[in-house]
């Protein structure tokens, strides 16, 4: 005797139900009477509408419905709901059989005896709309009746079903999806319904009835996973959608979770296998230097395995490293010969810098080790060379110290001494914008550098190159009125800088400078040039001395004799320079006189002269703008309304630039003053808009009392000047600068000042 079990609830089907036709067999599956009655529709079935347009998805399993299935009738759309071919094929026969059975019973039973059983739905089956929603295509329901009895029966059945559903839900464990962070244990589904319970095994009443549509959706996902085993993302997505949207039994929940975890674990195993295989292949190619092939091999990593982030990340990191190694290979191959050439040229420092840059740019590359080995080799060479150089420097310093000790007490071989009134030197000297003899602030004679870029050039001859040589330069930095005096100096020997643009400050600079110049000297003619490119004071040079040490007494004597003979030549050259300078100054004065003495009075002969006798100030010339000079009541009144520039009233006689010795007397008083000075031995300016220059005596604002009449006398003779104020000697034997050895007289009035001169007489001697 064959025993049958219900495919829905798993209960044994009594033979009586089969004989009476209450149990049905549909497509090889048996359904008990209770399950058949549960699927009986409560409302009129809607007609199936085939909708071929636009993408459609099954309202049960969410699978995409193919247009061809809609056209062929395998998939249907009914009451605004759509069902795929699989769901339609699964439920349509059952509903057709139920329809036929109901039709047969309607014909046999009166209308008021017909029982209407609510259809089983996924969530609830309490309304007509829900019944239509879940009715597959091809089902035609019964017509609703509106009698009160039918309505009460339906309401009662619905209430009973709700109570049963609540009991089942409360007894069923709440399902929570498993964490997808990693593979978990795979829960194998338990066995299906077994044989009917025996006498020792009482029958258990099921607390939960699985939804056949959920079962179908799980079967569809299982089928998809079997047909597409490597579509991991799609498989997981299907199971997760079932887990999210469906009310699963414990068995179904375990099955879905197990399927998801199994898929994740399978994908991970595949990813690990692909990673290890491709890395091994890439490493083999990289060892052969085929980095492009290695990168191409890693690019074969399957796209469907990339969600396994740790495996894909390892592959990506290796690809980046191979790409860097490939670039490092090309750079290093070009760098090696370049570094070798620098090593050959003894430019190891440049090679070290290039290797360090390579190691920084390609850190982590396999070539960094090779670059480090080359770097170590170059650094060793540099250290050895540095040690050798330091040893040589120490030896040279010891020899130089001994030579300095010897040369310190020896006489200079070549020298130029400017500390006396008379020139003493055995070197040829040429000057530019310099003055000698010039008396310094402390009364010592010096060579004065008068302008910026002034220079002095010294020439001397050597018969042999000395082993040691020391250059001594003695100089003075005068004090500045507003700040500490400072100069910028440049010393050059044979065109090579001994010192360039070095700043010397008063109080911080040595008065005697010493330079080791042995390596810059040469046999034959040598040239030493001292220049003054910048500074806020004039620069005063006192002495230049060259002390040289030659090996061998005979050589020393020959050099000494040659230097002594050069002294006479140097003296003659200096006298010639002085004469040339004097002639140059005279020619310049004559040239300027022709330019500025137009309208001048005739030249004065030696004698006494009243310079204020002409009320129209003939014999005078005003220099500068804003000054007003005129005679008022026999007195010379000067007013300067210019707030920025001085006004000068100077004599205007022919050949006055030749005035040399004279005495000037004046009686004057200041009404208001910024400054006032007397110009003695003044010279014409070398520019059209310039002002006369000369020896100036007077004072700034506050130095001369206002409103008080003063009597002054200036005695100018040779290169000396004496000044008397109110009969008392104020300045005695002051030196006159060489460029002011001759010149005329001038009166300077500062900005916004007024002076009244009562007497002004000149006694011209020559």
């Amino acid at each position: 005797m064959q025993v049958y079990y219900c495919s829905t609830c798993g209960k044994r089907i009594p033979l009586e139900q089969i004989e009476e036709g209450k149990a049905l067999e549909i497509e090889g599956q048996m359904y008990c009477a209770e399950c058949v009655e549960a699927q009986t529709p409560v409302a009129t079935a809607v007609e199936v509408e085939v909708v071929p347009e636009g993408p459609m998805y099954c309202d049960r399993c969410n699978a995409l419905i193919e247009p061809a299935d809609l056209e062929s009738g395998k998939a249907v759309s009914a009451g605004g709901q759509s069902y795929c071919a699989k769901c339609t094929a699964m439920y349509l026969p059952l509903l057709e059989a139920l329809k036929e059975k109901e039709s047969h019973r309607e014909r046999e039973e009166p209308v008021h005896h017909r029982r209407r059983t609510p259809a089983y739905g996924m969530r609830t089956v309490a309304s007509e709309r829900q019944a239509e929603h879940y009715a597959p295509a091809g089902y035609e329901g019964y017509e609703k009746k509106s009698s009160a009895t039918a309505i009460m029966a339906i309401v009662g059945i619905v209430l009973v079903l709700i109570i049963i559903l609540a009991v089942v839900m409360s007894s069923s464990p709440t399902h929570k999806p498993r964490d997808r962070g990693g593979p978990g244990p795979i829960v194998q589904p338990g066995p299906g319904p077994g044989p009917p319970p025996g006498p020792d095994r009482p029958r258990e009443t099921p607390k939960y009835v699985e939804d056949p549509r959920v079962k179908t959706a799980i079967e569809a996902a299982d089928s998809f996973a079997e047909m597409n085993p490597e579509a991991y993302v799609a498989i997981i997505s299907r199971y997760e959608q079932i887990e999210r949207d469906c009310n699963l039994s414990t068995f179904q929940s375990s099955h879905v979770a197990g399927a998801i975890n199994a898929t994740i674990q399978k994908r991970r195993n595949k990813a690990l296998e692909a990673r290890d295989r491709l890395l091994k292949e890439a490493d083999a190619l990289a060892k052969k230097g085929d980095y492009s092939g290695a990168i191409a091999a890693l690019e074969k990593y399957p796209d469907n395995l990339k969600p396994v982030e740790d495996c894909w990340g390892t592959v990506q990191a290796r690809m980046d490293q191979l790409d860097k190694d490939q670039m490092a290979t090309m750079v290093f191959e070009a760098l090696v010969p370049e570094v070798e050439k620098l090593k050959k040229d003894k430019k190891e420092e440049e090679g070290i810098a290039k290797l360090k840059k390579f190691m920084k740019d390609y850190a982590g590359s396999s070539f960094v080790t090779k670059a480090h080995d080359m770097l170590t080799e170059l650094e060793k060479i540099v250290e050895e060379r540095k040690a050798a150089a330091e040893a040589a420097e120490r030896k040279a310093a010891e020899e130089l110290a001994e030579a300095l000790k010897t040369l310190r007490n020896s006489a200079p071989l070549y020298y130029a001494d400017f500390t006396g009134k008379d020139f003493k030197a055995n070197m040829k000297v040429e000057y530019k914008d310099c003055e000698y003899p010039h008396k310094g602030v402390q009364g010592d004679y010096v060579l004065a550098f008068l302008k910026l870029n002034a220079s002095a050039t010294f020439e001397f001859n050597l018969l042999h190159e000395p082993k040691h040589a020391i250059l001594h330069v003695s100089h003075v930095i005068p004090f500045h009125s507003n700040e500490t005096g400072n100069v910028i100096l440049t010393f050059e020997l044979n065109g090579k800088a001994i010192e360039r643009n070095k700043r010397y400050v008063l109080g911080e600079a040595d008065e005697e400078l010493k330079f080791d110049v042995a390596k810059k000297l040469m046999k034959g003619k040598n040239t030493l040039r001292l220049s003054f490119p910048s500074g806020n004071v004039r620069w005063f040079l006192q002495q230049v001395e060259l002390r040289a040490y030659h090996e061998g007494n005979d050589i020393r004597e020959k050099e000494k004799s040659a230097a002594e003979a050069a002294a006479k030549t140097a003296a003659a050259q200096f006298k010639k320079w002085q004469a040339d300078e004097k002639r140059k100054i005279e020619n310049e004065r004559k040239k300027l006189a022709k330019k500025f003495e137009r309208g001048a009075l005739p030249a004065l002969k030696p004698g006494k002269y009243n310079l204020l006798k002409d009320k129209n100030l003939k014999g005078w010339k005003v220099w500068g703008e804003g000054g007003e000079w005129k005679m008022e009541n026999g007195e010379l009144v000067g007013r300067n309304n210019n707030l920025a520039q001085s006004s000068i009233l100077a004599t205007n006689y022919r050949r006055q630039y030749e005035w040399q010795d004279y005495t000037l007397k004046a009686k004057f008083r200041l009404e208001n003053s910024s400054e006032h000075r007397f110009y003695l031995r003044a010279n014409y300016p070398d520019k059209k808009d310039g002002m006369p220059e000369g020896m100036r005596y007077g004072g700034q604002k506050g130095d001369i009392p206002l409103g008080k009449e003063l009597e002054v006398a200036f005695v100018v003779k040779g290169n000396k000047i004496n000044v008397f104020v109110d009969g008392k000697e104020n300045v005695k034997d002051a030196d006159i600068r060489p460029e002011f050895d001759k010149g005329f007289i001038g009166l300077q009035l500062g900005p916004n000042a007024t002076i009244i001169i009562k007497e002004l007489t000149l006694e011209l001697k020559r």
Side-chain angles (χ1 to χ4, degrees):
M1 177 179 175
Q2 188 173 0
V3 179
Y4 297 94
Y5 295 90
C6 180
S7 298
T8 299
C9 63
K11 297 180 181 179
R12 180 179 175 179
I13 303 176
L15 184 60
E16 302 84 51
Q17 292 184 5
I18 298 175
E19 293 175 352
E20 294 175 0
K22 296 180 179 179
L24 296 179
E25 180 182 3
I26 302 173
E27 295 183 353
Q29 301 291 330
M30 292 298 296
Y31 299 91
C32 65
E34 290 81 1
C35 291
V36 170
E37 290 179 354
Q39 296 297 330
T40 302
V42 299
T44 304
V46 298
E47 293 296 330
V48 176
E49 298 176 2
V50 179
V51 184
E53 296 181 358
M56 300 180 64
Y57 297 89
C58 181
D59 287 296
R60 289 196 64 262
C61 64
N62 289 331
L64 178 67
I65 301 175
E66 299 293 338
D69 292 343
L70 288 170
E71 294 175 359
S72 62
K74 293 180 180 180
V76 298
S77 177
Q81 303 296 323
S82 301
Y83 302 91
C84 64
K86 189 172 183 179
C87 293
T88 302
M90 180 176 295
Y91 289 100
L92 187 59
L94 174 61
L95 296 177
E96 288 288 350
L98 293 175
K99 175 184 175 183
E100 182 179 354
K101 183 177 180 179
E102 287 294 324
S103 299
H104 177 72
R105 189 166 59 180
E106 277 186 349
R107 289 193 297 270
E108 293 179 352
E109 297 180 3
V111 175
H112 63 277
H113 286 161
R114 294 174 189 169
R115 183 169 54 90
R116 308 179 73 181
T117 305
Y120 180 80
M122 183 175 292
R123 294 291 186 268
T124 177
V125 290
S127 67
E128 177 185 35
R129 183 174 299 174
Q130 289 174 323
E132 293 177 355
H133 178 83
Y134 291 108
Y139 175 76
E140 296 178 2
Y142 298 98
E143 185 181 275
K144 293 196 300 180
K145 301 299 180 177
S146 59
S147 65
T149 304
I151 294 174
M152 292 300 292
I154 292 171
V155 171
I157 293 172
V158 169
L159 291 175
V160 171
L161 288 176
I162 291 174
I163 293 172
I164 294 173
L165 182 61
V167 172
V168 171
M169 292 298 293
S170 62
S171 62
S172 196
T174 303
H175 171 68
K176 295 183 179 179
R178 184 181 301 276
D179 182 13
R180 307 299 179 216
I186 302 176
V187 181
Q188 299 294 339
D200 297 333
R201 185 178 178 184
R203 180 184 301 274
E204 294 181 0
T205 303
K207 296 182 180 181
Y208 180 82
V209 178
E210 292 181 347
D211 187 345
R213 289 169 293 180
V214 174
K215 180 180 178 181
T216 303
I218 294 175
E219 290 174 353
D222 293 342
S223 176
F224 180 83
E226 184 178 355
M227 296 175 63
N228 304 277
E230 294 187 356
Y232 305 110
V233 175
I235 294 171
I236 294 171
S237 176
R238 286 172 180 263
Y239 282 120
E240 286 181 341
Q241 185 175 7
I242 293 172
E243 205 173 37
R244 183 176 61 250
D245 295 343
C246 298
N247 188 15
L248 304 178
S249 67
T250 302
F251 170 77
Q252 290 172 335
S253 176
S254 299
H255 176 76
V256 171
I260 292 174
N261 291 331
T263 305
I264 292 174
Q265 185 61 47
K266 182 179 179 181
R267 180 175 64 181
R268 180 168 182 79
N269 293 338
K270 286 286 186 180
L272 291 170
E273 179 186 351
R275 180 198 67 184
D276 296 341
R277 174 174 51 80
L278 294 178
L279 287 177
K280 184 177 180 180
E281 181 181 349
D283 289 342
L285 293 171
K287 287 182 179 179
K288 298 178 182 179
D290 186 7
Y291 294 99
S292 298
I295 294 172
L298 293 177
E299 289 176 344
K300 296 177 182 178
Y301 187 87
D303 291 338
N304 63 338
L305 301 180
K306 290 180 180 179
V308 185
E309 295 181 357
D310 56 339
C311 295
W312 173 232
T314 303
V315 173
Q316 284 182 310
R318 185 59 177 145
M319 290 172 66
D320 293 340
Q321 183 62 47
L322 289 171
D323 188 59
K324 180 179 279 191
D325 286 346
Q326 185 178 24
M327 181 61 68
T329 301
M330 296 185 290
V331 175
F332 189 75
E333 289 176 353
L335 180 62
V336 170
E338 185 178 357
V339 172
E340 290 295 333
K341 185 177 183 304
L342 292 172
K343 178 181 175 183
K344 184 178 180 181
D345 296 340
K346 296 183 178 181
K347 298 179 179 179
E348 290 84 0
E349 290 82 359
E350 295 182 24
I352 290 173
K354 290 181 178 293
L355 288 171
K356 286 184 177 179
K357 185 177 185 302
F358 173 83
M359 293 171 65
K360 180 180 178 181
D361 294 343
Y362 298 96
S365 169
S366 59
F367 290 94
V368 170
T369 303
K370 297 180 181 180
H372 184 269
D373 294 340
M374 295 180 66
L375 177 66
T376 303
E377 181 183 356
L378 293 182
E379 288 178 339
K380 184 178 179 181
I381 295 174
V382 171
E383 288 295 327
E384 291 175 353
R385 183 174 299 152
K386 183 178 179 181
E390 290 176 352
E393 288 179 1
R394 285 194 298 270
K395 184 177 180 181
E398 292 172 359
E399 292 181 356
L400 179 60
E402 188 65 26
L404 287 174
K405 185 177 179 181
T406 303
L407 294 175
R408 189 176 294 112
N409 299 323
S410 63
L413 181 64
Y414 285 97
Y415 63 90
D417 188 357
F418 303 101
T419 58
K421 186 176 180 180
D422 298 326
F423 178 73
K424 296 178 182 179
N426 59 359
M427 294 188 289
K428 178 183 178 182
V429 185
E430 293 182 354
Y431 310 99
K432 177 186 175 184
D433 297 327
C434 294
E435 175 184 287
Y436 177 76
H438 180 88
K439 207 164 188 181
V441 177
Q442 298 178 353
D444 299 328
Y445 285 97
V446 294
L447 174 65
F449 287 63
L450 303 177
K451 300 179 180 179
L452 297 182
N453 296 317
S455 63
T457 305
F458 305 85
E459 291 184 3
F460 55 93
N461 289 286
L462 293 175
L463 302 178
H464 306 85
E465 292 184 11
K467 185 175 182 180
H468 298 289
I470 303 298
L471 176 66
H472 289 251
V473 178
S474 298
H475 69 126
V476 175
I477 301 175
F479 183 76
H480 192 270
S481 59
N482 294 327
E483 58 181 318
T484 303
N486 67 88
V487 294
I488 306 296
L489 304 178
T490 295
F491 301 159
E492 296 175 325
L493 182 57
N494 295 326
K496 298 179 181 179
I498 303 173
E499 197 164 70
R500 186 180 299 279
N501 295 334
K502 182 172 180 180
R503 184 171 180 261
Y504 291 91
V505 179
L506 177 65
E508 299 179 5
D510 295 332
E511 293 185 355
E512 186 175 351
L513 308 177
K514 299 177 183 179
F515 305 100
D516 178 12
V517 295
K519 295 182 180 179
K520 294 181 174 62
L521 292 172
M522 57 186 180
K523 181 181 178 180
K525 180 181 176 182
N526 290 266
T527 302
L528 172 66
R529 183 174 182 271
L530 311 181
S531 60
F532 172 46
S534 181
N536 62 0
V537 293
R538 295 176 178 180
W539 182 49
F540 296 158
L541 180 64
Q542 295 174 317
Q543 291 178 332
V544 175
E545 296 178 346
L546 177 68
R547 290 181 170 87
Y549 175 78
H550 294 83
E551 292 183 332
N553 292 331
D554 55 337
I555 296 178
R556 297 176 194 172
E557 290 300 323
K558 289 179 180 179
E559 290 287 354
K560 185 177 179 181
S561 299
E564 290 175 352
K568 297 180 180 179
T569 304
Q573 290 172 339
F574 178 73
K575 288 182 179 179
K576 181 178 181 301
W577 172 81
Q578 281 186 319
D580 291 343
E581 284 292 308
K582 189 174 182 178
R583 187 164 44 254
K584 179 181 176 181
I585 292 173
E586 289 296 326
N587 291 336
E588 185 67 22
R589 284 173 176 170
K590 289 179 181 179
K591 181 179 178 181
L592 293 173
K594 291 180 180 179
K595 181 178 180 181
F596 291 109
E597 287 184 0
R598 295 173 183 174
L601 296 181
L604 297 180
K605 296 180 180 180
K608 292 184 179 181
Y609 299 94
N610 178 10
L611 299 179
L612 302 180
K613 68 177 181 178
D614 192 286
K615 63 180 181 179
N616 295 321
L617 291 179
K618 290 182 179 180
W620 293 94
K621 181 178 180 179
V622 178
W623 298 77
E625 298 180 358
E628 180 184 6
W629 299 83
K630 62 181 179 179
M631 295 296 296
E632 295 180 359
N633 301 322
E635 296 176 337
L636 174 60
V637 179
R639 298 182 179 88
N640 183 12
N641 297 321
N642 192 317
L643 300 179
Q645 185 179 12
S646 296
S647 176
I648 296 177
L649 180 68
T651 54
N652 189 22
Y653 293 90
R654 295 186 183 279
R655 299 179 64 181
Q656 62 181 4
Y657 61 87
E658 295 181 351
W659 295 354
Q660 186 172 358
D661 296 341
Y662 51 79
T663 299
L664 178 67
K665 295 181 180 181
K667 288 183 180 181
F668 71 98
R669 71 178 184 274
L670 292 177
E671 296 296 334
N672 54 67
S673 173
S674 58
E675 62 179 345
H676 171 70
R677 291 186 178 92
F678 289 89
Y679 274 56
L680 307 174
R681 287 186 177 177
N683 293 329
Y684 293 116
D686 55 1
K687 297 180 180 179
K688 183 178 180 181
D689 55 350
M691 302 285 279
E693 287 290 337
M695 298 297 295
R696 295 178 291 180
Y697 289 88
Q700 296 182 348
K701 185 176 181 180
D703 293 340
I704 302 174
L706 299 179
K708 181 180 179 181
E709 185 176 283
L710 298 177
E711 184 175 348
V712 296
F714 302 95
V715 179
V716 183
K717 185 177 181 180
N719 62 347
K720 301 290 183 181
I721 184 171
N722 292 275
V723 181
F724 299 87
V725 178
D726 291 337
K728 295 180 181 180
E729 190 174 47
N730 183 267
V731 177
K732 182 179 180 180
D733 293 335
D735 288 322
I736 298 177
R737 289 162 52 181
E739 68 266 31
F740 300 132
D741 59 338
K742 296 178 182 179
F744 49 89
I745 296 169
L747 306 173
Q748 180 193 17
L749 187 59
N752 195 28
T754 301
I755 187 174
I756 299 174
I757 301 176
K758 188 175 182 180
E759 294 181 7
L760 188 62
T761 60
L762 171 67
E763 183 179 354
L764 182 61
K765 297 179 180 179
R766 66 169 179 164

